[in-house]
Amino acid sequence: MGRASPPYSFGKPPMSLAHVILGLLQQQERTGYDLKTKCFDDCISHLWQADQAQIYRTLDKLESQGWITCNVEIQHDRPNRKVYRITEAGEAELTHWLQTHHPLPVLREPLLVQLYFAAQLPNEAIVYLLEQELEARQEKLAQCETIEALSLSNPTASREQKLHRLVLDLVKQREQTYLDWLEKAIATIRSQST
Amino acid sequence: MGRASPPYSFGKPPMSLAHVILGLLQQQERTGYDLKTKCFDDCISHLWQADQAQIYRTLDKLESQGWITCNVEIQHDRPNRKVYRITEAGEAELTHWLQTHHPLPVLREPLLVQLYFAAQLPNEAIVYLLEQELEARQEKLAQCETIEALSLSNPTASREQKLHRLVLDLVKQREQTYLDWLEKAIATIRSQST
DNA sequence: ATCCTATATATGATTAATCATATACTAGCA
DNA sequence: TGCTAGTATATGATTAATCATATATAGGAT
């Protein structure tokens, strides 16, 4: 008991986006548009990026799965809103998923491939590549700091906020590790004879 | 000039796996089976993981693109081998790709999502989750060290090897950042009242 | 009068990736 | 005898993700 019986058919093991959405809908009811603009883009872009089309299609699947329900709000000045709410089955599924270990995600970084095969390139070309990456990573760290300022600025440290803080700490440290390594790598390549 | 004219149609911007394969074929000619077993699984698993089926399909695409050619080696005791070699057009494409900045890959980590929404869970459940992640990350770091021992043990420091070392350094540091954070996070949660 | 932005949802097309499975022969082991 | 492992390539099915585009209305700026 606790979970629906076997024939799920909907996306087996990870299905992570579905569960991110369940988590967000457990906080409060929302529309697809709210999820995209207020949640994914403004609050958890450091954590999970999602395409608008995929959000709407996942909402459809979650609804036909019985994990969320939909209530259409008629609006006259604007398009109607489909407000989604998590169901009891959805909460059970979320609670189960939250406690399940998932395999480490596969990382595929073009920059590392480039560096791995860069032996044929002149040093300046390699340094240029690393500098562009450095710039992109600095920008990403800045985005993390924006999110930090927006959502973790007030001193009220609820249990939830402490967890959000932990998550953001990792993401920031990850970027910092990258930045440190890039600076070291640039110095190493520069000091090298071609 | 330098690149084939517009109607590529094959996978636009990233197409990274195709370029990893081009890089490996520039080192020497290989079969799909060699690529899977000797390269992806043994040498660059820390860098890029690839499914056997996708390797074969990408070889087909690269061939029809004119970036590699194929020579069938007839074997009588075993299945025939299709030996692939990079072409001049392929080398030009690789050189171009190696110098192009690519957008940062999107990271989607189930564990971070779980922690973000874990406020409803008891501390022990959160700690258990973090400990499982810690174990998986330790194993991954150990895999990096195996690769290090296998491919970077000899003291000959060619230009190529120095680059491979840089790449491995980042991957190891990334895992270490994770491990440090996980230990800190476990201590933090443990010290917390439920 | 025209254009852009915001609100709101939806579909079609395509790519990248994974999983399962099929085929086929050899060699070694139990 | 049957089983497994290694060598070698290939296809079908499916999922996850991205991009482009379509529709519709209101309100503000140029």
Side-chain angles (χ1 to χ4, degrees):
Chain A
M1 55 142 291
R3 314 195 62 205
S5 42
Y8 299 113
S9 81
F10 164 31
K12 273 139 275 168
M15 312 185 308
S16 302
L17 176 63
H19 293 90
V20 177
I21 291 176
L22 283 179
L24 292 167
L25 292 182
Q26 206 192 34
Q27 296 174 339
Q28 62 176 92
E29 53 177 46
R30 302 179 199 268
T31 66
Y33 189 80
D34 289 342
L35 286 168
K36 177 57 179 160
T37 58
K38 295 185 198 157
C39 303
F40 285 96
D41 291 349
D42 288 356
C43 289
I44 59 165
S45 64
H46 62 304
L47 186 61
W48 206 274
Q49 281 158 254
D51 182 74
Q52 173 261 129
Q54 208 198 346
I55 291 172
Y56 282 102
R57 277 193 260 244
T58 303
L59 285 170
D60 287 345
K61 284 187 203 162
L62 284 169
E63 195 188 2
S64 63
Q65 198 59 223
W67 291 340
I68 62 177
T69 52
C70 175
N71 184 28
V72 181
E73 241 178 54
I74 310 290
Q75 300 192 124
H76 299 286
D77 53 332
R78 289 177 195 176
N80 295 340
R81 289 155 48 90
K82 295 174 77 174
V83 182
Y84 291 95
R85 181 179 310 193
I86 195 167
T87 62
E88 270 186 48
E91 292 197 5
E93 169 60 30
L94 177 62
T95 301
H96 180 266
W97 185 86
L98 285 178
Q99 296 177 77
T100 308
H101 172 71
H102 304 290
L104 302 188
V106 175
L107 286 183
R108 295 189 174 95
E109 306 215 34
L111 179 83
L112 295 186
V113 174
Q114 292 176 305
L115 199 57
Y116 192 89
F117 292 115
Q120 50 158 311
L121 300 183
N123 284 347
E124 315 90 71
I126 301 178
V127 168
Y128 183 62
L129 215 51
L130 295 170
E131 280 173 343
Q132 281 178 293
E133 185 81 3
L134 187 70
E135 210 178 303
R137 293 278 169 188
Q138 276 166 343
E139 206 179 301
K140 207 182 161 185
L141 186 55
Q143 279 166 23
C144 288
E145 272 148 16
T146 302
I147 286 172
E148 188 171 18
L150 286 173
S151 63
L152 293 167
S153 53
N154 65 332
T156 337
S158 66
R159 178 170 171 78
E160 201 180 8
Q161 278 202 325
K162 281 176 196 158
L163 293 169
H164 293 183
R165 153 70 49 203
L166 272 178
V167 171
L168 191 62
D169 279 350
L170 175 72
V171 178
K172 282 173 64 186
Q173 272 173 49
R174 192 164 64 188
E175 288 313 314
Q176 195 57 58
T177 298
Y178 233 107
L179 291 175
D180 294 345
W181 174 81
L182 281 166
E183 277 170 18
K184 198 198 77 182
I186 289 170
T188 305
I189 303 290
R190 280 227 175 92
S191 72
Q192 217 85 30
S193 58
T194 313
Chain B
M1 53 146 292
R3 313 197 61 205
S5 42
Y8 300 112
S9 81
F10 163 31
K12 274 137 272 169
M15 311 185 309
S16 301
L17 176 63
H19 293 90
V20 178
I21 291 177
L22 283 180
L24 292 167
L25 292 181
Q26 207 193 32
Q27 297 174 339
Q28 61 175 95
E29 54 177 44
R30 303 179 198 268
T31 66
Y33 190 79
D34 289 342
L35 285 168
K36 176 56 180 163
T37 58
K38 296 185 197 158
C39 303
F40 284 97
D41 290 350
D42 288 355
C43 289
I44 59 165
S45 65
H46 61 302
L47 187 62
W48 206 273
Q49 281 158 255
D51 182 76
Q52 174 261 127
Q54 208 198 346
I55 291 171
Y56 283 102
R57 276 193 260 247
T58 304
L59 285 169
D60 287 345
K61 283 187 204 162
L62 283 169
E63 195 188 3
S64 64
Q65 196 61 220
W67 291 340
I68 62 177
T69 53
C70 175
N71 184 28
V72 180
E73 242 179 52
I74 310 291
Q75 299 192 125
H76 298 288
D77 53 332
R78 289 178 193 173
N80 295 340
R81 289 155 48 89
K82 295 175 75 174
V83 182
Y84 291 96
R85 181 180 308 195
I86 195 167
T87 62
E88 269 185 48
E91 292 198 3
E93 170 58 31
L94 177 62
T95 301
H96 179 264
W97 185 86
L98 286 178
Q99 297 178 76
T100 308
H101 173 71
H102 304 289
L104 302 188
V106 174
L107 286 184
R108 294 190 174 96
E109 306 216 34
L111 179 83
L112 295 186
V113 174
Q114 291 175 305
L115 199 58
Y116 191 88
F117 292 116
Q120 48 159 313
L121 300 182
N123 284 348
E124 316 90 71
I126 300 178
V127 167
Y128 184 62
L129 214 53
L130 295 171
E131 280 173 343
Q132 282 179 291
E133 184 81 3
L134 187 69
E135 211 178 302
R137 293 278 169 188
Q138 277 165 342
E139 207 179 301
K140 207 183 161 185
L141 185 55
Q143 280 166 23
C144 288
E145 272 147 16
T146 302
I147 286 174
E148 188 170 18
L150 286 174
S151 63
L152 293 167
S153 52
N154 67 332
T156 339
S158 66
R159 178 171 172 78
E160 200 180 9
Q161 277 202 325
K162 281 178 196 158
L163 292 169
H164 293 182
R165 154 69 49 202
L166 273 177
V167 170
L168 192 62
D169 280 351
L170 174 72
V171 177
K172 282 173 62 187
Q173 272 174 50
R174 193 165 61 187
E175 288 312 315
Q176 194 57 57
T177 298
Y178 233 106
L179 291 175
D180 294 345
W181 174 82
L182 281 165
E183 277 170 19
K184 199 198 76 182
I186 289 170
T188 305
I189 303 291
R190 279 225 175 92
S191 73
Q192 218 84 32
S193 60
T194 313

